[in-house]
Amino acid sequence: MNKDLHVVVLMGGWSSEREVSLMSGKGVAAALRERGWSNVTEVDMDRNIAQVLAGLRPDIVFNALHGHPGEDGTVQGMLDLMQIPYTHSGLSTSAIAIDKELTKLLLVPAGVRMPEGTMVRSETLFERDPIPRPYVLKPVNEGSSVGVAIVTDESNYGNPIGRDTQGPWNDFDELLAEPFIAGHELTVAVLGDEALCVTELKPKVGFYDFDSKYTDGLTEHVCPAQVPDDIAQSMLDMALKAHRVLGCKGASRSDFRWDDAQGEAGVYLLEVNTQPGMTPLSLVPEQARQRGISYGELVERLIEEALP
């Protein structure tokens, strides 16, 4: 691979995941320089990004953005128009995968088990529960557990949920309601066309929300997960099938819940992330290390797959 290529690492932006993206991007840029790449430019994306890229004339963009507009197909479409190669998934895959309802429409008919869900207007939550408790409320097109609430009989959200109670209903007009699946939080990374391994995530407090993901010490990562072989294989197979059906490129990460009281029938895929994090706490680099792939090698493999 030609290490003289001009690589622009695109990071930051204005999504709710901006700070995580900056950590991802800085890690990627540092790894490339350590491995002898001579022409690496870090770009904190603003609204003039097309003009900035036109001036920089990169050979390839490493997309280290998370959330909107770097993970929903918007930036991918711009880069396609500018004929600049980029890492990770393309426009259509990104637009579908960030939308949890669209993702279900493709994956469930393909045999991937996902929780049944229903879209609800946030206003209706103040009158009645959309489905029996316990249930999960989440924005349909956000990632990294942004805006997720678990509503139980013991929760402080009340019954019905109060207008003055803080929750995602304050920030989003519509939410996806899904039955809460008891049990274990697990995740599988796919690199290229290979599912790497299964990690179990054990939050010290509460559930695996945004803070638990990105605050050191709040979540224990068990990698590889100590689950029965058939359960692990089920998740590996489902993650790889999701990656292929959606048309993901580079790396993806599929998040699961497993109700161990139901055996293999209790394995549910929750969502597919097409721009998984590349921070020191991120799960894809951790699983890559478990398979003998260093952080720097991972970054280079993502670039190599994206080059024409």
Side-chain angles (χ1 to χ4, degrees), residues 44 51 61 77 90 160 169 176 193 216 224 230 245 273:
D44 185 347
Q51 182 178 350
V61 164
W169 43 86
L176 176 64
D193 197 44
D216 197 7
D230 63 324
V245 170
N273 300 272

Side-chain angles (χ1 to χ4, degrees), residues 31 33 60 76 117 138 149 192-193 202 214 298:
R33 293 181 181 118
I60 187 168
Q76 289 81 359
K138 60 181 76 170
D193 197 44
K202 296 184 174 182
Y214 298 114
L298 171 62

Side-chain angles (χ1 to χ4, degrees), residues 16-17 19-20 23 143-148 203-221 279 281:
S16 58
E17 301 173 66
E19 295 305 319
V20 178
M23 286 191 287
S144 288
S145 301
V146 172
V148 175
K204 303 291 179 64
V205 179
F207 72 102
Y208 191 55
D209 60 6
F210 186 88
D211 290 337
S212 294
K213 282 187 179 184
Y214 298 114
T215 306
D216 197 7
L218 289 189
T219 299
E220 177 188 359
H221 294 191
T279 75
L281 297 180

Side-chain angles (χ1 to χ4, degrees), residues 4-307:
D4 292 327
L5 292 175
H6 183 196
V7 181
V8 164
V9 182
L10 196 56
M11 65 183 95
W14 50 87
S15 82
S16 58
E17 301 173 66
R18 168 179 168 77
E19 295 305 319
V20 178
S21 172
L22 289 171
M23 286 191 287
S24 288
K26 291 181 184 302
V28 166
L32 288 172
R33 293 181 181 118
E34 288 171 5
R35 295 179 71 83
W37 291 75
S38 59
N39 197 1
V40 178
T41 304
E42 300 171 38
V43 173
D44 185 347
M45 185 176 72
D46 62 16
R47 307 282 179 175
N48 298 318
I49 185 58
Q51 182 178 350
V52 171
L53 289 174
L56 290 172
R57 300 175 62 84
D59 295 304
I60 187 168
V61 164
F62 191 105
N63 185 359
L65 295 165
H66 305 315
H68 303 283
E71 196 169 353
D72 63 359
T74 304
V75 163
Q76 289 81 359
M78 177 194 69
L79 293 171
D80 287 340
L81 284 172
M82 298 181 74
Q83 297 184 304
I84 301 172
Y86 54 91
T87 62
H88 299 82
S89 297
L91 188 161
S92 58
T93 295
S94 301
I96 291 169
I98 202 168
D99 187 304
K100 298 174 180 67
E101 279 293 273
L102 288 178
T103 299
K104 288 182 187 184
L105 290 175
L106 266 70
L107 296 187
V108 172
V112 176
R113 189 185 301 110
M114 301 182 74
E116 292 186 11
T118 181
M119 292 299 300
V120 297
R121 295 286 300 172
S122 295
E123 278 286 323
T124 66
L125 296 170
F126 308 133
E127 302 167 5
R128 62 189 177 277
D129 286 325
I131 57 177
R133 297 188 181 198
Y135 61 89
V136 180
L137 290 170
K138 60 181 76 170
V140 72
N141 56 2
E142 292 281 350
S144 288
S145 301
V146 172
V148 175
I150 299 176
V151 182
T152 69
D153 288 336
E154 295 79 29
S155 71
N156 61 357
Y157 295 133
N159 190 8
I161 292 166
R163 293 178 184 274
D164 298 328
T165 306
Q166 184 58 39
W169 43 86
N170 301 123
D171 303 313
F172 301 94
D173 292 332
E174 277 193 318
L175 293 166
L176 176 64
E178 294 177 341
F180 174 72
I181 299 163
H184 305 259
E185 188 96 30
L186 304 116
T187 194
V188 175
V190 176
L191 179 61
D193 197 44
E194 181 184 9
L196 297 182
C197 67
V198 182
T199 299
E200 181 168 6
L201 306 158
K202 296 184 174 182
K204 303 291 179 64
V205 179
F207 72 102
Y208 191 55
D209 60 6
F210 186 88
D211 290 337
S212 294
K213 282 187 179 184
Y214 298 114
T215 306
D216 197 7
L218 289 189
T219 299
E220 177 188 359
H221 294 191
V222 182
C223 182
Q226 303 303 299
V227 298
D229 290 345
D230 63 324
I231 301 301
Q233 192 60 53
S234 175
M235 283 183 273
L236 293 168
D237 292 344
M238 289 168 70
L240 184 56
K241 179 175 282 189
H243 185 94
R244 289 171 172 171
V245 170
L246 292 172
C248 298
K249 294 181 180 178
S252 71
R253 195 192 77 241
S254 291
D255 296 335
F256 293 87
R257 291 285 295 184
W258 174 45
D259 183 349
D260 52 11
Q262 298 186 50
E264 196 278 331
V267 176
Y268 290 86
L269 188 149
L270 301 181
E271 64 178 289
V272 178
N273 300 272
T274 56
Q275 294 284 136
M278 294 288 287
T279 75
L281 297 180
S282 294
L283 295 154
V284 172
E286 181 178 61
Q287 290 196 2
R289 285 195 302 273
Q290 178 67 27
R291 296 295 298 273
I293 304 166
S294 72
Y295 184 94
E297 290 170 324
L298 171 62
V299 171
E300 287 188 339
R301 282 181 61 166
L302 292 170
I303 290 175
E304 185 174 19
E305 183 171 343
L307 286 171

